[in-house]
Amino acid sequence: IWADVLGYVRKNISEVEYHTWFAPMKNLGVQGGSLVLGVRNSFAQEYVRRQYQVLLEDALRDLGAENPQVTFQVLPAVQEAMILPEDPPPPRPGPAGRAAPDPAPAENRKSLNPKYTFENFVVGPNNNLAHAAALAVAESPGKAYNPLFIYGDVGLGKTHLMHAVGHYMAERFPDKRIEYVSTESFTNDLINAIREDKMTQFRNRYRSVDLLLVDDIQFLAGKERTQEEFFHTFNALYENHKQIILSSDRPPKDIQTLEGRLRSRFEWGLITDIQSPEFETRVAILKMNAEQSHTVIPQEVLELIARQVTSNIRELEGALVRVVAYASLNNVPLSRVVAAKALSNVFAPQEVKVEMIDVLKATAAHFGLSPDQIRGSGRAREVVVPRQVAMYLVRDLTGHSLPEIGQFFGRDHSTVMHAVSKVTEQMGKDLELTAAVQTLRGQLNDVEDER
Ligand code: ADP
Ligand code: MG
């Protein structure tokens, strides 16, 4: 039945979508009347639910199910590694069908970074046009847009997208030749070829490929001999309908000292840009990274990092690594407090105030309770005092109103008022309580100081 479902799905979506989302999916059988499908991470889970749940249910209906239901479950890491070899995708049905190729040999992907796939690329409003263009090119190399020119600031995913096209093609057409090269190594190869009198080899290498990815083409500026050679490479490929993808930190018209004939060729196909990701996209990228390294990171920590690092995705990922390393080196659980400390030496302080949840968690931890116990209905002194301390500190540090605090703790505002005056009254008298308040205040304020 799963093969039938996949067959139905495959008829209704593009090959790219199929390979990105359905090929890695795992059929976990029927549970409680619902077909359960395993996906790699919660990003994929959210995405397929949003995009394909209806389609999948249609597929089941088509196969005779009366009340079809599909749910998605995130697979544990070990299973994930086994998906591809175990479940090769079925051949594409229909008259235009061709058998799905075996997984590509390593050969034509050797210049590609295995991490830079479409599946690992988070799509947001900042990059969806570039992503769509790359997908289109991956589906119809040499036909959709040629050349595809992707520009944008450093660290925004240009190289990643180029490699993704390469992987995609390598997987579908194992015999196609794919070459990824930075403009710098293209230049060096050329210089060596000239010096060693190996121009024929050089030309064979670059002119015999089916997909040429040339990264950071802005570095052609001012290099006349390289431009000349690249011009001929470009023409040879273009005339043979071979796909060319170029990246740059700026559009062709802004590349100084680029020959007019090259510039105009760069403008023949499609020019698309990638902008800085917005907050939600940054959080999604962090989430995906965390899941890939099988690290559980609280949402509020991801958000803190995403607020801290705003423009460069490589730095965003670096910040995540730093936070995780800091927490494990210090052997403390990951929290906003810890994350802010981990980042405080690297990034300019950010405006983040202490949140109620921070106070709750810190207070609970201090008294050896769980946050739920503090917010719960327990009336024992061991819970009541910490609860009052937490309310007092929230009032003191966050600027929330009594009703807001009451709501957070599941109580009314007069309870909060009572707690605040109770703790105020005990300060200086009850030494244990005073110490607790001071320690916690120090801990929580520390964050603000360092930010
Ligand atoms: P550029 O070539 O534009 O300088 P890269 O492609 O090298 O940027 O991307 C920098 C890092 O950010 C890489 O690790 C890449 O995987 C990651 N990255 C960029 N964009 C995305 C995205 N949309 N989703 C997931 N990771 C991304
Ligand atoms: Mg790059």
Side-chain angles (χ1 to χ4, degrees), residues 123-397:
V123 184
N126 63 310
N127 61 22
N128 61 351
L129 294 180
H131 175 258
L135 279 180
V137 162
E139 288 218 303
S140 334
K143 299 197 187 86
Y145 311 109
N146 208 13
L148 174 62
F149 191 103
I150 305 171
Y151 74 91
D153 282 341
V154 66
L156 296 184
K158 303 182 295 295
T159 301
H160 188 139
L161 261 190
M162 294 173 107
H163 283 229
V165 176
H167 283 298
Y168 185 80
M169 253 182 90
E171 191 176 306
R172 282 176 71 201
F173 311 110
D175 51 336
K176 295 273 187 205
R177 290 208 46 212
I178 294 161
E179 189 80 51
Y180 166 86
V181 70
S182 66
T183 299
E184 209 181 1
S185 25
F186 183 86
T187 306
N188 290 338
D189 282 355
L190 176 65
I191 293 170
N192 289 335
I194 296 171
R195 196 173 49 213
E196 293 164 19
D197 206 16
K198 288 187 173 155
M199 277 311 286
T200 315
Q201 283 97 317
F202 177 89
R203 289 183 179 140
N204 284 344
R205 172 169 171 207
Y206 287 107
R207 296 184 194 178
S208 64
V209 302
D210 299 286
L211 171 64
L212 182 63
L213 310 164
V214 187
D215 213 349
D216 293 316
I217 199 85
Q218 74 271 10
F219 292 128
L220 275 186
K223 299 190 177 108
E224 282 159 35
R225 183 70 182 83
T226 313
Q227 289 189 22
E228 166 83 20
E229 193 57 36
F230 188 70
F231 175 76
H232 295 297
T233 306
F234 185 102
N235 289 343
L237 292 173
Y238 187 87
E239 278 156 21
N240 288 307
H241 308 287
K242 304 301 187 190
Q243 182 67 46
I244 302 161
I245 306 183
L246 308 168
S247 87
S248 164
D249 66 353
R250 65 201 81 172
K253 67 174 169 42
D254 293 343
I255 305 178
Q256 303 298 319
T257 65
L258 182 67
E259 284 184 39
R261 57 183 186 170
L262 268 182
R263 174 169 311 142
S264 72
R265 272 165 181 72
F266 293 172
E267 291 167 348
W268 277 353
L270 181 75
I271 301 176
T272 179
D273 67 333
I274 303 186
Q275 298 289 331
S276 294
E278 36 291 290
F279 178 71
E280 288 77 13
T281 310
R282 299 200 297 276
V283 173
I285 290 172
L286 287 172
K287 206 166 182 171
M288 195 188 67
N289 268 276
E291 277 167 2
Q292 279 173 350
S293 53
H294 308 297
T295 321
V296 178
I297 299 183
Q299 179 73 13
E300 73 252 25
V301 170
L302 297 178
E303 289 180 4
L304 181 133
I305 299 171
R307 232 174 262 127
Q308 185 86 67
V309 188
T310 54
S311 60
N312 183 319
I313 297 171
R314 188 168 295 121
E315 280 181 18
L316 189 68
E317 296 173 340
L320 178 67
V321 170
R322 193 182 167 86
V323 165
V324 172
Y326 181 93
S328 82
L329 287 174
N330 290 293
N331 200 21
V332 288
L334 260 177
S335 66
R336 276 170 91 253
V337 177
V338 167
K341 276 190 189 162
L343 298 179
S344 61
N345 299 333
V346 194
F347 296 99
Q350 64 172 333
E351 284 286 320
V352 182
K353 52 180 175 43
V354 175
E355 305 280 356
M356 294 198 270
I357 186 83
D358 296 327
V359 181
L360 175 67
K361 285 185 178 170
T363 310
H366 181 88
F367 288 103
L369 299 169
S370 75
D372 284 347
Q373 282 175 302
I374 297 229
R375 283 206 277 197
S377 54
R379 302 197 133 270
R381 191 182 143 74
E382 296 75 54
V383 190
V384 171
V385 173
R387 186 179 297 140
Q388 290 176 339
V389 168
M391 289 177 178
Y392 172 88
L393 284 169
V394 167
R395 177 70 174 153
D396 198 32
L397 298 174

Side-chain angles (χ1 to χ4, degrees), residues 390-437:
M391 289 177 178
Y392 172 88
L393 284 169
V394 167
R395 177 70 174 153
D396 198 32
L397 298 174
T398 68
H400 280 286
S401 67
L402 293 176
E404 282 167 343
I405 301 172
Q407 194 183 17
F408 179 73
F409 284 93
R411 281 152 169 89
D412 62 21
H413 76 278
S414 60
T415 310
V416 181
M417 209 158 67
H418 174 72
V420 172
S421 51
K422 185 90 187 182
V423 174
T424 311
E425 185 196 304
Q426 291 299 315
M427 287 292 280
K429 294 183 196 155
D430 181 337
L431 292 186
E432 207 179 312
L433 179 133
T434 311
V437 168

